Amino acid sequence: MSTRTHTTASRTRICTVKSITMTISTDDTNVESVIDALRRAGGRVTTARRLVVETLLSTHEHLTADDVASRIHGDHPEVHLSTVYRTLDALESIGLVAHTHVGHGPAVYHVSVPHEHQHMVCEKCGGVVDIPAASLDDLCTRLRAEYGFELHIGHFALLGHCRGCGEAAPAS
Amino acid sequence: MSTRTHTTASRTRICTVKSITMTISTDDTNVESVIDALRRAGGRVTTARRLVVETLLSTHEHLTADDVASRIHGDHPEVHLSTVYRTLDALESIGLVAHTHVGHGPAVYHVSVPHEHQHMVCEKCGGVVDIPAASLDDLCTRLRAEYGFELHIGHFALLGHCRGCGEAAPAS
DNA sequence: TTTTTTGCAAAACCTTTGCAGTTGG
DNA sequence: CCAACTGCAAAGGTTTTGCAAAAAA
């Protein structure tokens, strides 16, 4: 919560702050907006919860619950892994966080950006169904890992049959 | 391995066989082709392995390892769950079986049809990358479960940046 | 015979839960 | 103050592993 080294994605410069109390690694605005949303939803704001949010926002990587706990433990060893899980659950149930199951390993969590979405188009009736981009996170991660392919969510539509058309005339 | 009731996807008629020894639920041809491929790959063909293949092919549902074991246990209680896991692993490493991680629950397995594939197109260089349809299984399952949307694999392309183009000019 | 596979038991792994104490609003 | 949250310990569900016996080639 003070004097940190820079670990963000920005490639400009490494800056080492010596004695000024200052948060560099995390975008405070985002942290506060998530925290505010949490409060607005009737949740309580605690040190542990703030730390979880800061940690998630401190990187663009997707972190496992254990990753989050480990990073927090540097400064706050008292925050228990189960608290991290419960905090992530709480934030997720409000829609502020999403998690994805990546292959064999543990689930990864990230602050969810509720704007992006993906279209699904029915090849029969032409209907369009919007789904949250998070539904494609799993696929995204895998394609990136296995093929180095960076998916452009929303730049293409998924084709198929919607519920009504699929039930009416099942494919052979 | 004899006198079974029909449980396949066909909607024509329910047929109850009384005394004729006959396998209805499983397509023997497919079972044998998978078993043959296993043998060709240097694996050994055992009762347990045959049962796993038969079970997977006896339905169009995706089964968990535990599902497979349970179904086998009806006739063959001696086949251990760990053997099922090891058999599924063995078949998967040869490419005959694929598994998918579906949300929270256990992984589901299915005989992989190596023909289907999905295209990924680079929006920069126009290059096309083929990936196995199995890569989309997870998404398929989720969209079906959550939206009743039946994805038509191969009928659309995934857009994004391929490895080369993504590395050359990273998105803002 | 030789190597692979099996059954069993036990561990490993990730996640959830019960409870008593603490804390935020 | 009171409900919500925390730390801890312990359990839960899924998957993996070590080993000796059994079976395939």
Side-chain angles (χ1 to χ4, degrees), chain B residues 17 54 68 79 95 114 133 165:
Chain B
V17 179
E54 281 177 17
V68 174
V79 174
C165 294

Side-chain angles (χ1 to χ4, degrees), chain A residues 38-39 41-46 49:
Chain A
L38 168 59
R39 203 189 328 259
R44 294 191 177 168
V45 177
T46 65
R49 290 177 163 202

